[in-house]
Each structure stands twice: as C-alpha cells, then as structure tokens.
Amino acid sequence: MFMRKTIIISALLMTLVFPAMSQSRFGFQGYQGGMMLHTGWVANSSVNFTSFDNVTGTPVIAEGMPFGIGGAIKIKLLPHFRVGSEGYVSTLTYEPNHSQLRVGWGGLLVDGVWYSEKWSFFVGATVGGGSVQNTTLLDPQDVNYETELHASYRRYSFMCVTPFAGCEYALTERIHLVGKIDYVTDLTSGELDNPQGPRVYVGFLFGH
C-alpha cells in the first residue's frame, strides 16, 4: 500500500516538473554538482533471526537515525527543468550489540525548479537501484579477531523510486547551500530488513 502511495506521489511531482518542458530554449544552460550529508529516521519490519540452538528465534527491529554522505549532479536543460544523477551511502547502527545496516543507492533524477531572488525551490524524483548490507549481532562482541557464533550477514539489491523536495540558497552566483528531504522506496526486493523512512540532507552545490 505504501509503495503504491509513493508511486502516486512521484507521479504527482512529475506533473509539476514536466510542464516546465513545454518552454522554449531547450538545451544546455549550466550545471550544478556537490556533496550532501544526511540523517533522518528509518525503521524496518520485525525480523525473526533463528540460530541452530534457538528454535524460537530472536525478533529484531532496526530503527534509528542513519548517517551518511553522497552527492548529485544536475544539468539544466530549460529554465525550470533539470536532469542528472545522484548517489548516497547511509549507515544505521542499531541494537542488539551495535549491529550495523548499510544502504547504498542512486540513479537518474529529474526535477523542476522555481526561483525567488536568492532562493530556489525544487521537487522531483530519482529512479534507480541500490544494495543493503545488514550485519546483526545477537551476542556481545567481547573478543577481537574471534568469529561470532550468533550473527547474521545479509546482502541483497533492490530497485527504487525516490521522491524528493528541497530548496537552495545562493551564497554566491556559483555556490549554493542546499537542503532537501526524500524517501527511498524499495520496489522489488520484498525484504523485511530494508529500512524505510524520511532522510534530511544538507550540503553545498557548485555551479556554472
């Protein structure tokens, strides 16, 4: 149900973006690129981990504030229309025993942008894919360089659609402070431990 809502939201965002394409003067009109840090709040569904000596299993929910970094590049083809790509890596440390979940994703983006003096506001979506690496430690790590008996390592890939919205503030003509919010939606894996939730970004874009 949520996946359907995300696709609908992305489609509605595109209805704001694509009218900009009806303008004239289509062609290269400059570019922007830069890096952003992010955090937010994400959580996955309860996952039941079972070991050979624990037939009942141990339910684990990975939730909390992830931290990560990534970047984007955008090419302006119309006064209010940009295309480009972006990619990020996000790490979440969660209980039990400081388990760690890492998500990397990226893809092709389109957005519409509107200007008001030094401010600009944009909405868009990214279509692409990513991967998850999830290490769950059911026992404390007391000794270094010792293998863990009750641990799980999972790795898989997924396709995603990521709607986003944000704003930029022009510090100079070529340097912009940028902030945005997005929601990465796993469309294909069906895995319970891929955390979902909003992420908030802040960084700098450098343009020409």
Side-chain angles (χ1 to χ4, degrees), residues 119-120 167-172 175-179 202-205:
W119 290 92
S120 55
C167 62
E168 301 172 20
Y169 179 79
L171 300 175
T172 70
I175 302 176
H176 288 194
L177 177 66
V178 59
V202 63
F204 294 93
L205 294 176

Side-chain angles (χ1 to χ4, degrees), residues 103-119:
V103 183
W105 74 97
L108 301 177
L109 69 84
V110 294
D111 73 9
V113 57
W114 294 267
Y115 303 96
S116 177
E117 297 182 352
K118 288 191 173 185
W119 290 92

Side-chain angles (χ1 to χ4, degrees), residues 24-91:
S24 59
R25 295 189 292 133
F26 183 86
F28 179 79
Q29 299 181 21
Y31 67 89
Q32 288 179 303
M35 303 291 290
M36 287 171 270
L37 302 174
H38 69 261
T39 185
W41 183 266
V42 297
N44 60 19
S45 302
S46 179
V47 179
N48 204 43
F49 289 92
T50 303
S51 63
F52 68 91
D53 58 353
N54 184 0
V55 294
T56 60
T58 301
V60 174
I61 298 178
E63 63 179 359
M65 298 177 65
F67 295 94
I69 192 171
I73 184 168
K74 301 180 181 182
I75 299 172
K76 185 188 294 186
L77 297 178
L78 288 165
H80 300 283
F81 177 73
R82 302 181 296 191
V83 300
S85 64
E86 63 178 358
Y88 302 94
V89 175
S90 188
T91 301

Side-chain angles (χ1 to χ4, degrees), residues 1-13 45 125-128 156-163 183-192 194-197:
M1 178 64 71
F2 182 80
M3 184 184 301
R4 183 181 303 174
K5 290 181 179 179
T6 302
I7 294 174
I8 292 174
I9 291 172
S10 298
L12 291 175
L13 290 175
S45 302
T126 299
V127 178
Y156 55 89
S157 59
F158 61 94
M159 301 297 292
C160 60
V161 172
T162 308
Y183 199 110
V184 181
T185 304
D186 183 345
L187 298 178
T188 58
S189 77
E191 301 290 347
L192 297 176
N194 191 351
Q196 306 286 288

